[in-house]
Amino acid sequence: SNSTACQLLVSANTLEECILLQALNVPWIDLKEPRHGPLGRPELPLVKQFANRMTSASSSKAHWSIAGGELPDWNPQA
């Protein structure tokens, strides 16, 4: 592959969307929750399901990321 080529990143906010994007061989899948802002952190149960699916042997070879949320949402005391 050409390391200088741009690759498509598609955001998903449900497990069903992630499965569809894998089936379409999207090179980058980003899990986020737009209701929580542009960098909206998704709920933990969905993060676990998504990470399990993306790391399973039967999953696509897509790269993936998970939105961490907006800076004001981070609470170092939590």
Side-chain angles (χ1 to χ4, degrees):
S1 90
N2 183 348
S3 64
T4 62
C6 293
Q7 294 187 333
L8 179 67
L9 178 140
V10 179
S11 295
N13 67 339
T14 67
L15 191 58
E16 291 78 18
E17 288 178 358
C18 295
I19 292 167
L20 175 61
L21 295 174
Q22 282 182 306
L24 294 172
N25 294 315
V26 172
W28 284 89
I29 301 172
D30 179 52
L31 184 65
K32 67 172 62 175
E33 178 49 70
R35 292 179 298 173
H36 298 165
L39 300 175
R41 183 174 48 206
E43 301 296 328
L44 186 56
L46 178 57
V47 168
K48 289 180 179 180
Q49 291 175 334
F50 176 75
N52 286 337
R53 175 154 186 95
M54 296 306 290
T55 57
S56 73
S58 63
S59 292
S60 71
K61 302 299 183 218
H63 301 283
W64 54 281
S65 62
I66 300 170
E70 304 293 332
L71 187 56
D73 295 337
W74 284 87
N75 180 359
Q77 306 302 320

